[in-house]
Amino acid sequence: MHHFNYVQDELFCEEVPVAHIAEAVGTPFYLYSHATLKRHFRAFDGAFAGLKHLTCFSMKSNSNGAILNLFAREGGGVDIVSGGELYRAQRAGIEPGRIVYSGVGKSEEDLAYALEAGILMFNVESSQEIDRLNEVARRAGKRAPISLRVNPDVDPKTHPYISTGLKENKFGIDIDDAPAEYARAASLAHLEVMGISCHIGSQLTQVLPFVDALRKVLGLMDALRSSGIRIRCLDIGGGLGITYDRETPPPPEEYAAALKQTLAGSDVTLILEPGRVIVGNAGILVTRVLYTKTTGQKHFFVVDAGMNDLMRPSLYQSYHAIQPVARRERPRLTADVVGPICESGDFLAKARELEAFEPGDLLAVMSAGAYGFSMSSNYNSRPRPCEVMVQGGIFHVIRRRETFEDLVRGESLPGEPA
Ligand code: LLP
């Protein structure tokens, strides 16, 4: 459920016509619905009511401060993967005790920064990281709270680039090696073992892989208990999918019910790291048709947003619905929607049946709230788009459009002060 709807053939975000925003801020731009964000957060978090839990929004999916701040006010925490994300979390007012930190390549500086900030838990991903964190904590005269991120070898049945829980993936510690690593970590003076974490992949459309992974993690928890290591938190990552096209992922209640049943009264705090399921369908990318063109048999709509603005179609061949901002009765044709970037891989949609758009028409690229802006770049020296949030009948620019000056900020000639 989201708040992007047509009213007499005109696309609205909540109570604001999308075309009005385009007039005011130009194109392309990302547009988020406050009511949808809030609703999705509450639907997800609420599904776990009755269970000790913490919903840590996975901010790699969308790291805009206004969005993080909204979740902070709802009582959420965040899942971070870098020092930069920690900085953003702090600025957005997320309590440090609600921050968990994953990632296979945490630098020493980032570990020290997060330790100093007092985050809830480090999800440690390798044997060497255990030692590095212990050493960083020793120097700081602290104890670092940790979980080991285990790789349960469960197939999430999703795109290979975003599956993480198979033995062949780079993530986590092999679950079979985990007992020995836990024993080692528990013996180190500057680490405090708190939990087990696990994230098997993203855009999952079935409940079963989550349940399989949780079962394996619970098995490990029991084994650790019998060797005297008590686990207080289970972080089961994110990964619940959304509908981009025809997918039918389980709703949060069904996901939560399956996990609750598998947990069967275990006395642990459950940590969840949802990203896409909360923000994915709460945001769109609005772009304008620059040109239409036909080469041989093929039709193209050349629009002013490219793969630098929304990378998902190029990188994963992923589907994003494309809708007109003003619907009209007109012939339809099959076309590619392409951007201005100098690469044939620069497309937003391929062989899509669409209205015969004309230059100047506004298009909405749907389901772009997750991994949209956060994966954008300045490739081809294109300033990144602005981000706008609608709240009821008003809209706010929550990140201004970049300027040409922004593109060269920080550059210097050899010999000049950097
Ligand atoms: N926790 C960890 C440790 C993760 O690695 C991820 C995502 C999440 C949570 C959140 O997963 P979500 O609930 O959003 O599925 N760029 C790709 C997705 C990459 C996901 C990476 N990890 C895409 O655009 O589809």
Side-chain angles (χ1 to χ4, degrees), residues 44 56-61 79-81 101-103 123 125 149 159 161-164 171 197-204 210 235-241 244 272-279 311-312 315-316 318 320 370-372 374-375:
F44 187 93
C56 290
F57 172 64
S58 189
M59 69 185 274
K60 64 178 80 64
S61 64
D79 145 44
I80 60 165
V81 290
Y101 187 1
S102 307
N123 294 340
E125 304 219 12
R149 173 165 174 190
H159 191 286
Y161 284 15
I162 53 178
S163 64
T164 48
F171 298 95
S197 76
C198 148
H199 167 83
I200 55 173
S202 199
Q203 183 54 14
L204 272 71
F210 290 115
D235 178 345
I236 54 151
L240 189 56
Y244 286 99
L272 303 138
E273 302 178 351
R276 187 186 326 258
V277 69
I278 294 185
V279 290
M311 203 182 183
R312 303 192 71 259
L315 190 57
Y316 314 113
S318 54
H320 287 263
Y371 308 104
S374 67
M375 289 177 77

Side-chain angles (χ1 to χ4, degrees), residues 206-224:
Q206 299 168 34
V207 160
L208 200 59
F210 290 115
V211 170
D212 286 346
L214 181 57
R215 283 208 186 105
K216 290 196 171 184
V217 165
L218 288 170
L220 172 62
M221 185 170 91
D222 286 343
L224 293 176

Side-chain angles (χ1 to χ4, degrees), residues 246-306:
R246 276 184 256 271
E247 306 90 333
T248 51
E253 311 82 70
E254 192 182 323
Y255 166 74
L259 296 182
K260 277 184 194 170
Q261 198 185 2
T262 314
L263 277 171
S266 305
D267 182 30
V268 286
T269 299
L270 195 61
I271 297 180
L272 303 138
E273 302 178 351
R276 187 186 326 258
V277 69
I278 294 185
V279 290
N281 280 323
I284 64 174
L285 172 65
V286 181
T287 181
R288 200 180 279 281
V289 178
L290 295 172
Y291 305 105
T292 65
K293 131 177 202 181
T294 304
T295 57
Q297 306 292 357
K298 264 190 101 156
H299 299 290
F300 293 96
F301 296 122
V302 183
V303 300
D304 64 4

Side-chain angles (χ1 to χ4, degrees), residues 150-220:
V150 298
N151 185 330
D153 198 27
V154 168
D155 186 354
K157 300 193 169 58
T158 181
H159 191 286
Y161 284 15
I162 53 178
S163 64
T164 48
L166 282 170
K167 269 199 202 299
E168 68 201 50
N169 300 131
K170 69 177 175 179
F171 298 95
I173 292 171
D174 190 323
I175 196 157
D176 298 330
D177 300 336
E181 293 295 348
Y182 268 102
R184 215 167 64 72
S187 73
L188 297 174
H190 294 277
L191 299 182
E192 186 192 347
V193 172
M194 283 191 51
I196 306 176
S197 76
C198 148
H199 167 83
I200 55 173
S202 199
Q203 183 54 14
L204 272 71
T205 52
Q206 299 168 34
V207 160
L208 200 59
F210 290 115
V211 170
D212 286 346
L214 181 57
R215 283 208 186 105
K216 290 196 171 184
V217 165
L218 288 170
L220 172 62

Side-chain angles (χ1 to χ4, degrees), residues 13-33:
C13 176
E14 301 187 20
E15 293 155 37
V16 184
V18 172
H20 285 190
I21 306 172
E23 282 312 310
V25 306
T27 53
F29 64 96
Y30 276 92
L31 179 60
Y32 309 105
S33 150

